[in-house]
Amino acid sequence: MLNPELLRRDPERTRAALSRRGDDAVEAFNAAIAADDAWRRLTAEVEHVRAERRQRASARRGRPSEDEIREERQLGERLAEMERQLKQAEEERHKALAWVPNLPDQSVPLGKDETENEILREWGEKRTFDFEPLPHWQLAEKLGILDLQAGALLAGARFFVLKGAGALLQRALINFMLDLHVQQQGYTEMHTPYMVREEIMYGSGQLPKFYDNLYHDAEEDLWLIPTSEVPLVNLYFNQIIPPGELPLKITAQSPCFRKERAAAGRDVRGIKRVKQFYKVEMVRVVEPETSMDHLEELVRDAEDVLRRLELPYQVMALCTGDLGFAMTKTYDLNAWAAGSGEWLEVSSISNANDYQARRANIRFRRESGGKTEYPHTLNGSGVALPRTLIAVLENNQQEDGTVVVPAALRPYMGGLERIVAASKK
């Protein structure tokens, strides 16, 4: 959540910063200012009536007259109605604040949408082929490791089934990434629920903005997570982190569930954009003055995954028009998919500064008995499937239709060096 003080303290500067995101952000900010003004005005009026009531009670001597009783009753009824209006105004203020996005960092490039993101660097060389490389949906079908029809039969469009070496490859990627993050990069592995309460979804910034893209069990009021960022960020929901525990570096693998309403008509072939997928997530909770350094470290950690898998990739700085709702700065890592002939986003690495911490009421103390502060939260995919699986298959395919398993994954696949069609085994 945006710091409410920004609604009153130098609102013009805040409005100018939000204008870099577009008109919708400014309109949301103006609506929040109006709601805050109404709440503050009603708060002052309620306090005035409460003070009047206390003054009357303290000034009264002896038994009250009928007129005094009538006036006291009327004052009480008036106060009750005003308190009802104040509660409603407070709810409206809270709702309005929830629709104001995070302020973009000054280093974020200005742009209207994803077409104006900036490529910062590339690593690796795109492989050249002596044959026409296949896209993953053709390659994997020939190998017998992907069944799109079975996915559609079981759950509908944008679901899939991995079979045999395909399922093994996905499991190998997950285990490889977790081991790298934990054993070499210093993260603590977590296993969290895949369903969370509404407050938890709100704390990470998924609600109310992305309501239409989330799966909700109305009976128990639980939400399927779109990423394990949601439970990881909220591990200290409504708590104070004791001195000496920051920075927190945590990681988890989980299925992710998204309705993909905005993707209608896009990426309909294969498994580039699906409603259920796995992802390894990295999250950091840090002291505010260190968060931008941690952001760069997160990028390096995700790059390390792609380098070990020998996948060509590019690092991209997202512009203001493509920046996530809760984020102040974001980098994307895009892996090259040779068969599809395109860059696929496999990781989005972001700094939310204190935005998520305020929404989730997460605080920390630097020393025992010291004042509480809001930490900064960061997250990044380390990395996401199935797009990384797509890149591995398409970049390592051979003319005979087999796929060479990257050396980093072979220990996780029982020493398997090539994926071959079942009929060729």
Side-chain angles (χ1 to χ4, degrees):
M1 178 180 290
L2 201 68
N3 185 348
E5 291 183 9
L6 295 176
L7 300 175
R8 310 156 200 160
R9 188 185 68 217
D10 204 359
E12 290 306 318
R13 182 177 297 180
T14 305
R15 188 178 287 108
L18 285 169
S19 70
R20 301 179 71 227
R21 280 184 174 269
D23 293 341
D24 288 348
V26 174
E27 289 176 8
F29 181 67
N30 290 338
I33 287 180
D36 184 62
D37 286 345
W39 171 76
R40 286 193 295 144
R41 183 177 64 254
L42 274 170
T43 299
E45 292 174 0
V46 166
E47 287 302 320
H48 177 75
V49 175
R50 286 173 178 167
E52 181 181 350
R53 194 180 191 187
R54 289 193 298 270
Q55 185 178 10
R56 282 173 176 263
S58 62
R60 188 169 56 240
R61 295 291 183 268
R63 188 173 181 177
S65 66
E66 290 185 5
D67 288 343
E68 287 176 326
I69 292 174
R70 185 177 61 256
E71 290 173 359
E72 188 71 25
R73 184 188 308 115
Q74 291 173 347
L75 189 61
E77 291 172 351
R78 178 185 169 200
L79 179 59
E81 173 60 19
M82 292 178 67
E83 287 176 337
R84 185 194 65 78
Q85 293 176 3
L86 178 61
K87 183 178 180 180
Q88 183 178 351
E90 187 172 10
E91 291 174 355
E92 293 299 323
R93 173 180 179 267
H94 185 77
K95 289 178 182 178
L97 271 170
W99 282 98
V100 181
N102 202 348
L103 298 176
D105 189 78
Q106 285 298 315
S107 63
V108 175
L110 184 65
K112 64 180 183 301
D113 55 35
E114 61 185 12
T115 62
E116 298 189 63
N117 293 337
E118 292 186 5
I119 298 173
L120 302 180
R121 59 183 179 273
E122 293 187 5
W123 181 90
E125 293 185 7
K126 297 178 183 176
R127 179 184 165 194
T128 57
F129 293 83
D130 296 328
F131 59 95
E132 187 68 27
L134 297 176
H136 68 278
W137 57 88
Q138 293 180 12
L139 176 63
E141 182 181 17
K142 288 187 174 183
L143 288 169
I145 62 174
L146 172 66
D147 194 334
L148 293 170
Q149 290 184 342
L153 173 67
L154 294 170
R158 297 191 186 275
F159 288 91
F160 63 98
V161 171
L162 291 173
K163 301 161 54 179
L168 178 58
L169 177 59
Q170 174 165 273
R171 178 156 54 89
L173 281 163
I174 291 170
N175 290 337
F176 156 70
M177 289 184 278
L178 285 173
D179 282 353
L180 176 60
H181 296 327
V182 172
Q183 297 172 11
Q184 299 189 42
Q185 296 176 346
Y187 292 82
T188 298
E189 184 177 356
M190 301 284 183
H191 184 82
T192 64
Y194 301 152
M195 302 183 78
V196 297
R197 296 181 295 110
E198 181 173 316
E199 299 95 321
I200 302 304
M201 202 68 85
Y202 174 87
S204 61
Q206 305 295 325
L207 289 176
K209 175 69 174 178
F210 303 109
Y211 177 90
D212 289 339
N213 205 40
L214 300 170
Y215 288 99
H216 181 216
D217 175 8
E219 182 179 353
E220 297 192 21
D221 197 18
L222 291 173
W223 301 74
L224 283 168
I225 61 172
T227 163
S228 57
E229 169 201 342
V230 174
L232 290 178
V233 162
N234 282 282
L235 282 174
Y236 280 91
F237 179 85
N238 204 26
Q239 297 178 58
I240 299 173
I241 301 173
E245 290 202 14
L246 299 185
L248 294 172
K249 295 173 59 177
I250 47 184
T251 185
Q253 63 83 21
S254 76
C256 306
F257 305 92
R258 304 177 186 180
K259 291 183 179 179
E260 293 292 355
R261 292 193 187 280
R266 297 173 54 197
D267 298 324
V268 294
R269 304 194 69 179
I271 56 175
K272 286 185 289 186
R273 195 178 296 274
V274 290
K275 295 182 178 181
Q276 176 188 320
F277 60 96
Y278 275 86
K279 184 153 68 84
V280 175
E281 189 75 9
M282 303 175 291
V283 163
R284 298 191 184 198
V285 183
V286 305
E287 294 177 348
E289 66 275 11
T290 67
S291 65
M292 283 303 178
D293 290 336
H294 279 279
L295 179 63
E296 301 300 325
E297 287 183 15
L298 268 171
V299 173
R300 291 194 291 270
D301 288 346
E303 285 185 87
D304 194 13
V305 172
L306 298 179
R307 292 191 183 205
R308 290 171 186 259
L309 293 175
E310 303 175 67
L311 296 175
Y313 67 86
Q314 58 184 202
V315 180
M316 178 180 291
L318 266 57
C319 70
T320 52
D322 198 29
L323 195 60
F325 181 80
M327 304 307 162
T328 188
K329 185 172 185 177
T330 297
Y331 297 104
D332 275 1
L333 299 188
N334 304 318
W336 176 247
S340 305
E342 61 181 326
W343 295 101
L344 299 179
E345 178 198 326
V346 295
S347 181
S348 192
I349 303 152
S350 304
N351 184 354
N353 58 40
D354 64 359
Y355 191 90
Q356 291 177 321
R358 286 181 180 276
R359 292 173 76 105
N361 196 29
I362 301 168
R363 293 141 293 153
F364 78 101
R365 285 193 173 98
R366 297 179 187 267
E367 57 188 11
S368 181
K371 69 174 183 178
T372 60
E373 303 175 51
Y374 291 105
H376 283 193
T377 59
L378 305 96
N379 71 87
S381 308
V383 289
L385 301 167
R387 292 184 179 182
T388 303
L389 184 145
I390 291 172
V392 168
L393 290 174
E394 293 191 5
N395 290 330
N396 291 285
Q397 61 183 296
Q398 306 299 306
E399 190 170 8
D400 62 0
T402 64
V403 172
V404 173
V405 176
L409 296 180
R410 292 174 189 174
Y412 299 91
M413 298 187 68
L416 186 68
E417 295 184 359
R418 280 180 184 252
I419 299 174
V420 301
S423 60
K424 295 183 180 181
K425 289 184 179 179

